[in-house]
Amino acid sequence: VYDDPVAQYSSATCRREVVHHQINRYLSEKHRNKRMRSFLFFGESEDLVGRDFETIYLKLKLLRVLDLGGVRFPCEEGKRSLPEVIGDLIHLRYLGIADTFLSNLPSFISNLRFLQTLDASGNESIRQTIDLRNLTSLRHVIGKFVGELLIGDTVNLQTLRSISSYSWSKLNHEVFINLRDLEIFDSMWVDQRGVSLDLSSFSKLKNLRALTLKVSTFKLSSESEETVRFQTLVELTLRCDIRRLPKDMDVIFPSLESLTLVRLCLEEDPMPALEKLQRLEDLSLTNCSYSEAKMSISAQGFSRLNKLELF
């Protein structure tokens, strides 16, 4: 652990290193540790200075875990970008680049064919096409992906957050058989006209546990008007432009335990539909509006509810 500005460090054989707040000082000392397997940075956002990063990481061929969350990489042509040397770390299983002010992912990401987790959360929207088809070991992909996301054989993928409804519409949903956590949103950066969220795509997600939808409109039925059932879903966050909830919520979401409704403009009392959710434990209505004067819950409603939040 590198966290003392006056201490002397000798880390030529250490397998795992953690740097607190002082990444530029650490890099300037030009540590050489060819055996390193994990490198993590913790601290406030910090601009990288100079090219020490590239010269050091050229030699870390065995690195498995690299977490640089909060590090601000140098600008090239007005944009921050990942150093190309990261593309040579072909044994990486985990790449953390959250909160690094990136707005694009370079093509060399496709070189990291053993990568299991890509965390690019907290950055700007990534608007260009991202090709992850070579990364067949991916389990968790986290970021804000607006442009098309090319994903190949993804039987291992468990987390996909968050992806634009445009990008979701371009994917082959049949390959997401093990997806457990999904977030979809409408983006101002793409033309949503003609792009609607087809809920029949969710019928392929047999292991989905958590779903977040931040979309304009959608129907809880497929094009054939058959009600889509989310049999395995236990956590749902919904932000969309719907005026009333379906009366058969308990049929659509039979396993739901946590429900968050955000910015809904409700014209009907939602409680008669919600109180029938037999497994619901947490219910939150956040920044919602309701045009009537009263909501009513029956004596038999919400048999397992632990938390009710109205904000």
Side-chain angles (χ1 to χ4, degrees):
V1 177
Y2 187 96
D3 60 357
D4 189 335
V6 295
Q8 296 297 316
Y9 290 87
S10 178
S11 59
T13 60
C14 184
R15 296 290 184 95
R16 299 170 182 85
E17 295 193 16
V18 178
V19 175
H20 289 274
H21 298 284
Q22 308 166 59
I23 191 167
N24 281 306
R25 179 174 180 264
Y26 171 87
L27 293 175
S28 69
E29 294 177 2
K30 295 180 172 54
H31 295 259
R32 295 289 184 268
N33 181 2
K34 295 182 180 180
R35 298 187 180 184
M36 193 191 302
R37 299 292 196 278
S38 300
F39 179 87
L40 301 97
F41 169 75
F42 295 107
E44 298 176 2
S45 294
E46 187 172 343
D47 284 301
L48 280 186
V49 177
R51 294 289 182 181
D52 292 326
F53 181 89
E54 296 190 13
T55 58
I56 289 175
Y57 282 87
L58 276 171
K59 303 182 183 302
L60 300 182
K61 300 300 184 182
L62 301 179
L63 201 65
R64 302 290 199 276
V65 175
L66 179 60
D67 191 343
L68 296 170
V71 173
R72 293 194 291 258
F73 299 102
C75 287
E76 294 183 5
E77 298 180 356
K79 294 183 178 180
R80 298 184 186 274
S81 59
L82 287 178
E84 291 190 10
V85 67
I86 291 179
D88 296 327
L89 305 177
I90 59 173
H91 295 291
L92 275 184
R93 266 61 169 177
Y94 181 101
L95 176 60
I97 48 175
D99 303 305
T100 51
F101 296 87
L102 293 173
S103 59
N104 70 305
L105 289 179
S107 59
F108 62 67
I109 288 290
S110 62
N111 297 344
L112 309 178
R113 55 194 180 95
F114 298 113
L115 196 67
Q116 296 177 359
T117 299
L118 172 62
D119 183 1
S121 58
N123 292 312
E124 298 179 32
S125 298
I126 298 172
R127 287 178 247 167
Q128 88 271 28
T129 298
I130 303 297
D131 190 347
L132 303 178
R133 287 174 292 186
N134 289 339
L135 312 185
T136 56
S137 298
L138 274 177
R139 296 180 184 176
H140 310 285
V141 178
I142 307 169
K144 195 166 186 180
F145 301 98
V146 173
E148 195 168 348
L149 197 62
L150 303 179
I151 300 179
D153 184 4
T154 55
V155 294
N156 297 310
L157 194 66
Q158 299 175 25
T159 305
L160 181 56
R161 299 198 311 262
S162 56
I163 181 172
S164 70
S165 51
Y166 165 80
S167 185
W168 176 254
S169 70
K170 300 291 185 180
L171 292 173
N172 175 18
H173 307 120
E174 294 184 357
V175 301
F176 297 108
I177 56 176
N178 289 309
L179 193 65
R180 296 170 63 87
D181 188 346
L182 172 65
E183 180 174 329
I184 301 176
F185 67 99
D186 279 350
S187 172
M188 59 179 288
W189 298 111
V190 293
D191 187 357
Q192 297 290 153
R193 289 176 295 181
V195 178
S196 59
L197 190 60
D198 182 7
L199 289 191
S200 63
S201 62
F202 294 108
S203 64
K204 315 288 195 307
L205 311 180
K206 302 299 185 182
N207 292 295
L208 192 65
R209 302 273 295 173
L211 175 63
T212 298
L213 296 178
K214 300 177 180 178
V215 297
S216 54
T217 58
F218 74 97
K219 292 194 305 180
L220 285 168
S221 60
S222 62
E223 292 180 356
S224 62
E225 297 303 321
E226 293 181 2
T227 300
V228 178
R229 289 172 171 81
F230 297 78
Q231 300 286 356
T232 60
L233 199 69
V234 297
E235 181 180 338
L236 173 64
T237 299
L238 192 59
R239 191 183 79 188
C240 61
D241 184 18
I242 58 175
R243 304 293 175 174
R244 53 184 62 85
L245 296 177
K247 298 187 185 307
D248 55 349
M249 288 282 287
D250 56 326
V251 176
I252 301 170
F253 305 107
S255 304
L256 203 62
E257 297 176 4
S258 177
L259 175 62
T260 301
L261 303 176
V262 184
R263 297 182 186 175
L264 268 62
C265 299
L266 298 168
E267 297 176 349
E268 291 183 358
D269 185 355
M271 295 305 173
L274 297 176
E275 68 176 15
K276 293 188 290 185
L277 294 166
Q278 295 297 314
R279 299 188 181 186
L280 195 66
E281 298 180 2
D282 296 342
L283 174 61
S284 175
L285 276 69
T286 303
N287 291 333
C288 293
S289 65
Y290 175 52
S291 58
E292 300 299 322
K294 182 172 67 173
M295 292 182 181
S296 300
I297 301 172
S298 69
Q300 293 77 31
F302 294 117
S303 58
R304 295 179 60 174
L305 197 68
N306 290 325
K307 184 181 79 172
L308 174 62
E309 182 179 57
L310 305 175
F311 179 72

